[in-house]
Structure formats: structure tokens, C-alpha cells
Amino acid sequence: MCDFLAWMVLLGDGIHSLADGLAIGAAFSESMTSGLSTALAVLCHELPHVVGDFAMLLRAGMSSKQAIVYKFLR
């Protein structure tokens, strides 16, 4: 069960990152100012998100090293 949870977190995080990238790209296609403000907003949103995902991966039974590697591979 815990292994399944870890893969669900990683898959959801990959889809979330794709959506963030699309939003940033769309904002930059509007204007430089819009793109920069959207990128800053996404950065501020992603910092606590990454910490939460890391905690979930640890709780799911991964070691710290495994969790870091999988977070960077996503």
C-alpha cells in the first residue's frame, strides 16, 4: 500500500509540473511581465509543495536518498 502511495505522489507531481509549465508558457506568450509574475507565483507555490511531497514519500517508506532521487527524476 505504501509503495502504491509513493508512486501516486510521483505521478501526480509530474502531471502537476506539466500544468505549471503550460501556465508559465502561456503567461510568457502574453507578455514578459505576465510570464515573470506567473513564474514567481509558481515558484512560491512549489516550495511548500515539494516539502510536502518529500514528507509523503518518507511516510510511504522511502529513504531520504530515494525520495530525493525520485523527486529530481520526475
Side-chain angles (χ1 to χ4, degrees):
M1 178 67 176
C2 287
D3 189 42
F4 180 68
L5 176 66
W7 287 111
M8 280 181 37
V9 167
L10 291 171
L11 178 64
D13 193 38
I15 294 168
H16 182 119
S17 294
L18 175 66
D20 286 344
L22 290 172
I24 292 170
F28 270 111
S29 71
E30 179 66 30
S31 71
M32 180 67 94
T33 305
S34 179
L36 290 174
S37 64
T38 301
L40 180 62
V42 167
L43 176 68
C44 291
H45 163 80
E46 280 301 310
L47 290 175
H49 185 243
V50 168
V51 172
D53 283 350
F54 183 72
M56 286 294 296
L57 293 175
L58 291 179
R59 181 78 170 157
M62 286 189 176
S63 68
S64 294
K65 185 177 180 179
Q66 284 177 317
I68 289 170
V69 168
Y70 281 119
K71 285 298 291 175
F72 279 113
L73 289 179
R74 65 146 175 103

